[in-house]
Structure formats: structure tokens, C-alpha cells
């Protein structure tokens, strides 16, 4: 994946686009996360990003970038099929890494605390 494609994916979008992405992310995040948890080396950051993205106090631009990255993560169709072991989520990881770099420092400790609580309650397969 090149930087241009990732840059296009991470565009925050208009408010209506953010609302549509938020609905999609809320609906599909947890099932996708459960399938990917073992393959994504930064699960805690991913869950904290989810809570940051749905937090109404998060700045609009940050929410938009995170919602775009999380929407890409939950899409059933992407560049590399997620069903392929090991490499399946590599494009998702690239997009999420770029998003984390773009919003550096915007994920608050409260988002990490909520992520820790959620991960502690999530059954491990």
C-alpha cells in the first residue's frame, strides 16, 4: 500500500460521511476485532481508538480520521482479504498505523482505561 492510498482512506470526510462510518464501525467493530485480535499486535491501541472515535468530546478531525481507519478495518472487502492467515490484516495494520500517527496524542487515558476494562472482560479463544 502506498502513502497516497492510505491518505485517501484516512480523509476525515464530511459530517454525514462520519455519521455513516460511525454507524458501520459500531455495528461491525467487535465481530471483526474478535477475528483479528491474535493477528494485530496493538489490540489495546485499536480498542482505545474505537472508544476515542465514538467519544463526542474527541475533536472532529481526529474522530473523522479514526472512523475512516476503523471503517476500513471493518469492511468485508479490502485490498488483502482478511481470511488469509498472517497477511490478511496487514493492509488494515498499515492503515491503522497511519491513522495513529496522524492523530498522535489524541487518544486519552480514559480511552485506554475503557479498552483495558473491555479487553479484561473479553473471553480469550
Amino acid at each position: 500500500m502506498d502513502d497516497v492510498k492510505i491518505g485517501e482512506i484516512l480523509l476525515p470526510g464530511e459530517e454525514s460521511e462520519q455519521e455513516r462510518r460511525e454507524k458501520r464501525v459500531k455495528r461491525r467493530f467487535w465481530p471483526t476485532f474478535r477475528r483479528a485480535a491474535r493477528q494485530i499486535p496493538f489490540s489495546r491501541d485499536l480498542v482505545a481508538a474505537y472508544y476515542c472515535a465514538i467519544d463526542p468530546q474527541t475533536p472532529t478531525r481526529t474522530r473523522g480520521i479514526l472512523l475512516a481507519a476503523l471503517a476500513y478495518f471493518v469492511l468485508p472487502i479490502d485490498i488483502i482479504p482478511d481470511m488469509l492467515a498472517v497477511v490478511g490484516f496487514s493492509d488494515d495494520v498499515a492503515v491503522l498505523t497511519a491513522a495513529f500517527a496522524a492523530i498522535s496524542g489524541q487518544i486519552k487515558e480514559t480511552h485506554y482505561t475503557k479498552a483495558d476494562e473491555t479487553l479484561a472482560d473479553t473471553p480469550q479463544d
Side-chain angles (χ1 to χ4, degrees), residues 58-74:
T58 298
T60 302
R61 180 178 182 281
T62 299
R63 287 188 69 195
I65 290 170
L66 288 175
L67 287 170
L70 293 169
Y72 185 81
F73 173 69
V74 302

Side-chain angles (χ1 to χ4, degrees), residues 13-105:
E14 299 294 323
E15 190 172 327
S16 61
E17 176 68 14
Q18 285 188 23
E19 290 172 8
R20 189 173 61 74
R21 286 177 177 164
E22 184 173 358
K23 287 177 186 174
R24 181 185 306 140
V25 167
K26 283 182 174 181
R27 187 175 66 249
R28 296 183 180 170
F29 180 80
W30 293 111
T32 304
F33 175 78
R34 285 183 185 93
R35 283 194 323 271
R38 290 185 185 166
Q39 298 175 41
I40 295 180
F42 48 86
S43 293
R44 179 178 186 248
D45 293 314
L46 180 58
V47 176
Y50 170 81
Y51 286 118
C52 183
I54 63 171
D55 182 349
Q57 294 181 344
T58 298
T60 302
R61 180 178 182 281
T62 299
R63 287 188 69 195
I65 290 170
L66 288 175
L67 287 170
L70 293 169
Y72 185 81
F73 173 69
V74 302
L75 281 175
I77 299 171
D78 54 21
I79 293 170
I80 301 173
D82 295 338
M83 293 167 267
L84 297 175
V86 182
V87 298
F89 285 99
S90 62
D91 59 322
D92 301 273
V93 170
V95 169
L96 291 165
T97 300
F100 292 157
I103 58 101
S104 180

Side-chain angles (χ1 to χ4, degrees), residues 91-122:
D91 59 322
D92 301 273
V93 170
V95 169
L96 291 165
T97 300
F100 292 157
I103 58 101
S104 180
Q106 294 294 313
I107 300 176
K108 305 293 183 214
E109 189 58 39
T110 56
H111 302 131
Y112 280 107
T113 300
K114 184 108 174 160
D116 291 339
E117 291 168 359
T118 300
L119 290 170
D121 292 340
T122 302

